[in-house]
């Protein structure tokens, strides 16, 4: 499969903080790639670096989208090339209606009336709850509905690559399953997705390939199946005790019992 996005030895700094330390990856067309890691690992920084949302970045390395170097472009230009972004925390326009929020998503590429109508239909197909509330102010939606709206607004741009930052954050398990089901359906249609996610279990079920990010570096990578079977990932991200850690715990309990 062709590569949609390629990062090579990318380094990003916030003032004196070295947020990304030489990360490299290739995102293939029509796949879901997940990046796992704790808070502060640099997941959001990856997306902001791709989109040019950080001043004077990247410090080193290159970013290519469809074989075009983009790290020196303005954010608006990058979005127009076909990259859409769903930020952590949703960031919907609370005073605007659902329909108005979606319309904003179509403005950057100045999409025509027919394309906008097709966009509405697509979003409402995936998220029927939004169709029922299209005249309601976004600020009055539930957290789950706002996440649906944030994703829907990103889809209105007709993207080739969708960047998702913690889409499960603060949602109930039922809503997480619903949101991730839509993400899977979008990928099956050919949309390429880069997903930053703390919910490792759900992300590995969904993704084709995954990376583990710690302190601004990729420390593990592989298919989702490979990472799901990795002992470190199972213990630290999936909450499954490995045989060695289980033995250590048993030894500790025996010592404590005989004190």
């Amino acid at each position: 499969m062709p590569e949609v996005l390629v990062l090579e030895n990318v380094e990003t700094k916030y003032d004196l903080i070295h947020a990304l330390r030489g990360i490299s990856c290739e995102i293939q067309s029509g796949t879901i790639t997940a990046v796992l890691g704790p808070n502060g690992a640099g997941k959001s920084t990856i997306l902001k670096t791709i989109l040019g949302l950080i001043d004077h970045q990247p410090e080193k390395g290159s970013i290519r989208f469809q074989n075009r170097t983009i790290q020196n472009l303005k954010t608006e230009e990058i979005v127009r090339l076909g990259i859409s972004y769903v930020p952590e925390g949703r960031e919907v326009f609370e005073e605007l209606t659902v329909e108005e929020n979606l319309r904003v998503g179509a403005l950057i590429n100045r999409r025509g009336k027919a394309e906008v109508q097709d966009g509405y239909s697509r979003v409402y197909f995936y998220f029927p709850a939004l169709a029922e509330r299209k005249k309601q102010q976004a600020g009055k939606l539930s957290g789950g509905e706002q996440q649906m709206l944030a994703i829907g607004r990103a889809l209105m741009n007709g993207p080739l690559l969708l960047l998702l930052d913690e889409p499960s954050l603060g949602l109930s398990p039922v809503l997480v399953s619903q949101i991730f089901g839509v993400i899977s359906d979008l990928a099956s249609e050919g949309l390429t997705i880069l997903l930053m996610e703390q919910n490792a279990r759900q992300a590995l079920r969904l993704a084709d390939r995954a990376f583990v990010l710690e302190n601004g570096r990729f420390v593990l990578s592989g298919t989702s199946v490979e990472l799901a079977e990795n002992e470190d990932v199972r213990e630290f991200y999936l909450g499954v005790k490995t045989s060695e850690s289980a033995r250590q715990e048993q030894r500790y309990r025996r010592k404590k019992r005989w004190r």
Side-chain angles (χ1 to χ4, degrees), residues 11-12 37-38 61 65 68 99 112 117 128 151 158 184 207 216 225 230 259:
E11 297 190 8
T12 299
F65 176 64
R68 176 174 179 176
E99 193 166 74
Q117 289 303 320
I151 295 173
S184 178
V225 174
N230 180 282
R259 282 177 183 172

Coordinates of all heavy atoms in Angstrom, one line a residue, residues 11-12 37-38 61 65 68 99 112 117 128 151 158 184 207 216 225 230 259:
E11 N 12.1 16.1 15.3 CA 12.3 16.6 16.6 C 11.6 17.9 16.8 O 11.6 18.8 15.9 CB 13.8 16.8 16.9 CG 14.6 15.6 16.8 CD 16.0 15.7 17.3 OE1 16.4 16.8 17.8 OE2 16.8 14.8 17.1
T12 N 10.9 18.0 17.9 CA 10.1 19.2 18.2 C 10.4 19.7 19.6 O 10.5 18.9 20.6 CB 8.6 19.0 18.1 OG1 8.3 18.6 16.7 CG2 7.7 20.2 18.4
G37 N 0.5 5.7 24.6 CA 1.4 6.3 25.5 C 0.7 7.1 26.6 O -0.4 7.5 26.5
P38 N 1.4 7.3 27.8 CA 0.8 8.0 28.9 C 0.7 9.5 28.6 O 1.2 10.0 27.6 CB 1.8 7.7 30.0 CG 3.1 7.6 29.3 CD 2.8 6.9 28.0
G61 N 14.4 17.0 11.0 CA 13.6 16.0 10.4 C 12.7 16.5 9.3 O 12.6 17.7 9.0
F65 N 3.6 14.5 3.1 CA 2.2 14.0 2.9 C 2.0 13.8 1.5 O 2.1 14.8 0.7 CB 1.2 15.1 3.5 CG -0.2 14.7 3.3 CD1 -0.8 13.6 3.8 CD2 -1.0 15.5 2.5 CE1 -2.2 13.3 3.6 CE2 -2.4 15.3 2.2 CZ -2.9 14.1 2.8
R68 N 4.7 15.1 -0.7 CA 5.0 16.5 -0.6 C 5.5 16.9 0.7 O 4.9 16.6 1.7 CB 3.8 17.3 -1.0 CG 4.0 18.8 -0.9 CD 2.8 19.5 -1.4 NE 3.0 21.0 -1.3 CZ 2.1 21.9 -1.7 NH1 1.0 21.5 -2.3 NH2 2.4 23.2 -1.6
E99 N -25.4 22.1 13.0 CA -25.3 22.3 11.6 C -24.3 23.4 11.2 O -23.5 23.2 10.3 CB -26.7 22.6 11.0 CG -26.7 22.5 9.4 CD -28.1 22.5 8.9 OE1 -28.8 23.6 8.9 OE2 -28.6 21.4 8.6
G112 N -18.4 23.4 -2.5 CA -19.6 23.8 -3.1 C -20.9 23.3 -2.4 O -20.8 22.4 -1.5
Q117 N -23.8 19.4 1.1 CA -25.0 18.6 1.4 C -24.6 17.1 1.5 O -25.1 16.4 2.3 CB -26.0 18.8 0.3 CG -26.7 20.1 0.3 CD -27.4 20.4 1.6 OE1 -28.0 19.5 2.2 NE2 -27.3 21.7 2.1
P128 N -26.6 9.5 13.7 CA -28.0 9.9 13.7 C -28.4 10.9 14.8 O -29.3 11.7 14.6 CB -28.7 8.6 13.8 CG -27.7 7.5 13.3 CD -26.4 8.1 13.8
I151 N -15.8 15.0 15.3 CA -15.4 14.1 14.2 C -16.1 14.4 12.9 O -15.5 14.5 11.8 CB -15.6 12.6 14.6 CG1 -14.7 12.2 15.7 CG2 -15.4 11.7 13.4 CD1 -15.0 10.8 16.3
G158 N -13.7 16.6 3.8 CA -13.4 15.5 2.8 C -12.0 15.1 2.8 O -11.3 15.0 1.8
S184 N -13.7 2.6 12.6 CA -13.4 1.4 11.8 C -14.1 1.5 10.4 O -13.6 1.1 9.4 CB -13.9 0.2 12.6 OG -13.7 -1.0 11.8
A207 N -6.7 -0.8 15.5 CA -5.6 -0.4 14.6 C -5.1 -1.6 13.8 O -5.1 -2.8 14.2 CB -4.5 0.2 15.4
G216 N 8.7 11.2 24.3 CA 9.1 11.8 23.0 C 9.7 10.8 22.0 O 10.2 11.2 21.0
V225 N -1.5 -6.9 16.5 CA -1.5 -8.2 17.1 C -0.1 -8.4 17.8 O -0.1 -8.9 19.0 CB -1.7 -9.3 16.0 CG1 -1.4 -10.7 16.6 CG2 -3.1 -9.2 15.5
N230 N 2.9 -8.4 23.2 CA 4.2 -8.0 23.8 C 4.0 -8.0 25.3 O 3.0 -7.3 25.8 CB 4.6 -6.7 23.3 CG 5.9 -6.2 23.9 OD1 5.9 -5.7 25.0 ND2 7.0 -6.3 23.1
R259 N 6.7 -12.9 57.6 CA 7.4 -11.9 58.5 C 6.8 -12.0 59.9 O 5.6 -12.2 60.1 CB 7.2 -10.5 57.9 CG 8.2 -10.3 56.7 CD 8.0 -8.9 56.1 NE 8.8 -8.7 55.0 CZ 8.7 -7.7 54.1 NH1 7.8 -6.8 54.3 NH2 9.6 -7.6 53.1

